[in-house]
Amino acid sequence: MGIIFRISSYEDRASYQSHYLGMVWEYLYPLIQICIYWLVFGVGLKHGQSNGVDYLPWMMIGITPWFFMNRATLDASKSIYQRVGMVSKMKFPVSALPTIKIVSNLSSFWTMLVISVVVSLLYGIRPSIYWFESIYYFICMLVFLLAFGIFNSAVSVLIRDYHVLLQSVMRMLFYLSGVLFNFESGAFPPIVTRILQLNPFFYVVSGFRESLMGQGWFWQRPTLTLEFWLFVLFFLLVGSHLHYKFRSRFVDLI
């Protein structure tokens, strides 16, 4: 575990060593994106409130885990073939590479989460016992990213076009995960809403909102919770199987 944190810290510094603002871009880029989405959807399209909550804190609480999950997913998917040199020259657990990418993105997640909470407090959202529920959704997010990262990293080596496809899918999921729009408000037919709820990214995004806005407990949605963990189990089992089967051939395949 220690080596994972050391490598992830090194990668954070190495990614921005040639930039004048350095690590500041880790936090500046998502803030710029949030401002753009708020101006377009919160002001321009008059989405002033969602479920009785002002649009800005509602969006920020949802977009914070999404930014983290999106980047961690894409980074983890290319973690093996980016580190082919290290894998080929030393005995290193290949399955740990996606975890390194996930950990390296945690610092920006925590910073954005603190900013989101501060904005929520300024808009009148007060702390409640539901906030403890965010610990559960944080664990859900990490376990899902780990399972999904193990799966994606293996498939990206076996099928080189997969990473490009994954990028397109993640762009589409940004709009289908409830980050900018509340599709549970009744604007969509029930069957469409039900299909969109199957998205594991939606489960995490909506979960953070429910916990930080005091709107309910996860056990009040047992079906969605079961479906989410079935997705996690599927990706973990298939991803682990692919890693075990092809780990000795990853270097040759790359």
Side-chain angles (χ1 to χ4, degrees):
M1 182 60 70
I3 192 172
I4 290 177
F5 282 99
R6 288 196 295 272
I7 294 177
S8 63
S9 177
Y10 167 77
E11 289 194 346
D12 281 343
R13 295 192 299 269
S15 298
Y16 296 96
Q17 62 179 354
S18 60
H19 296 71
Y20 288 113
L21 296 181
M23 289 291 294
V24 175
W25 283 111
E26 281 279 332
Y27 319 109
L28 189 58
Y29 174 75
L31 288 175
I32 293 174
Q33 293 292 102
I34 287 173
C35 289
I36 293 173
Y37 295 135
W38 175 65
L39 288 174
V40 173
F41 297 101
V43 178
L45 298 181
K46 305 300 181 182
H47 289 176
Q49 290 189 336
S50 181
N51 283 345
V53 180
D54 285 287
Y55 185 76
L56 181 59
W58 182 88
M59 179 192 67
M60 288 189 67
I61 292 174
I63 209 171
T64 294
W66 167 260
F67 274 141
F68 171 66
M69 290 189 292
N70 177 63
R71 184 166 180 178
T73 296
L74 295 177
D75 286 352
S77 70
K78 57 184 179 181
S79 58
I80 294 180
Y81 64 75
Q82 275 190 335
R83 289 293 178 182
V84 61
M86 182 175 66
V87 172
S88 61
K89 294 178 182 177
M90 60 183 291
K91 188 176 181 180
F92 188 87
V94 179
S95 57
L97 293 175
T99 308
I100 293 173
K101 292 296 186 178
I102 295 171
V103 173
S104 67
N105 285 292
L106 272 176
S107 59
S108 60
F109 168 76
W110 288 120
T111 303
M112 290 303 303
L113 184 62
V114 170
I115 295 174
S116 299
V117 169
V118 171
V119 170
S120 300
L121 292 173
L122 293 175
Y123 273 80
I125 298 175
R126 294 294 173 255
S128 68
I129 192 173
Y130 290 99
W131 282 29
F132 289 104
E133 188 183 21
S134 61
I135 299 174
Y136 163 76
Y137 284 107
F138 178 72
I139 295 173
C140 288
M141 179 173 66
L142 290 186
V143 175
F144 170 68
L145 288 176
L146 176 61
F148 201 36
I150 291 175
F151 173 83
N152 289 330
S153 61
V155 177
S156 294
V157 175
L158 301 174
I159 306 174
R160 295 306 301 271
D161 292 337
Y162 179 76
H163 180 71
V164 179
L165 174 64
L166 183 63
Q167 288 178 312
S168 300
V169 171
M170 292 302 293
R171 292 192 190 101
M172 179 180 65
L173 288 178
F174 175 67
Y175 297 99
L176 300 179
S177 300
V179 178
L180 300 178
F181 308 103
N182 181 12
F183 55 74
E184 291 183 307
S185 61
F188 293 92
I191 183 62
V192 175
T193 301
R194 187 67 187 91
I195 293 173
L196 293 176
Q197 287 176 332
L198 294 174
N199 176 6
F201 290 97
F202 164 78
Y203 181 79
V204 175
V205 169
S206 63
F208 269 98
R209 283 195 179 119
E210 285 189 352
S211 57
L212 294 178
M213 293 181 176
Q215 296 176 342
W217 299 102
F218 69 90
W219 57 76
Q220 294 175 323
R221 301 196 299 174
T223 303
L224 292 182
T225 299
L226 177 61
E227 291 167 349
F228 171 81
W229 286 110
L230 286 176
F231 269 110
V232 172
L233 183 62
F234 169 79
F235 287 121
L236 185 60
L237 291 178
V238 176
S240 298
H241 172 71
L242 292 176
H243 268 261
Y244 179 78
K245 183 176 181 179
F246 295 101
R247 62 184 176 182
S248 60
R249 299 174 52 197
F250 277 150
V251 176
D252 296 331
L253 291 171
I254 294 174

